Amino acid sequence: MKTVNIKLTLAENVKDFVNIVSKYPYEIDLRSGRHVVDAKSILGIFSLDLSKPVTLEVYSDDCDNLMEEIKPFVI
């Protein structure tokens, strides 16, 4: 499992982020405090407090391609 902090400030960022993570077959979650949502769900992401960074949890160790694609969102 890999974990990174990301920042999604604009609705356009959320749309681009979901389009990227939806291409990958493994489970990916976003965590904000005690709330956890599927990172492939736009509605789930908007239910989080996006004013602060959220934690991305990828349930795969072979996710270098994903990490490269989401670099603009990683803080």
Side-chain angles (χ1 to χ4, degrees):
M1 182 170 112
K2 289 199 178 184
T3 304
V4 293
N5 287 328
I6 63 168
K7 183 78 171 154
L8 300 169
T9 51
L10 305 170
E12 187 70 22
N13 294 132
V14 173
K15 182 178 79 86
D16 293 343
F17 177 79
V18 170
N19 286 337
I20 292 169
V21 297
S22 294
K23 296 188 287 187
Y24 294 91
Y26 28 82
E27 294 294 318
I28 306 169
D29 288 337
L30 286 176
R31 178 181 303 275
S32 177
R34 61 183 178 87
H35 301 285
V36 179
V37 298
D38 184 351
K40 298 176 184 179
S41 166
I42 289 178
L43 287 176
I45 293 173
F46 281 122
S47 72
L48 298 175
D49 178 8
L50 296 178
S51 65
K52 297 180 266 191
V54 293
T55 303
L56 176 75
E57 297 175 337
V58 182
Y59 298 99
S60 171
D61 291 324
D62 183 26
C63 59
D64 294 334
N65 292 343
L66 170 65
M67 290 298 150
E68 188 63 35
E69 279 197 75
I70 63 165
K71 254 188 186 159
F73 307 108
V74 176
I75 56 168

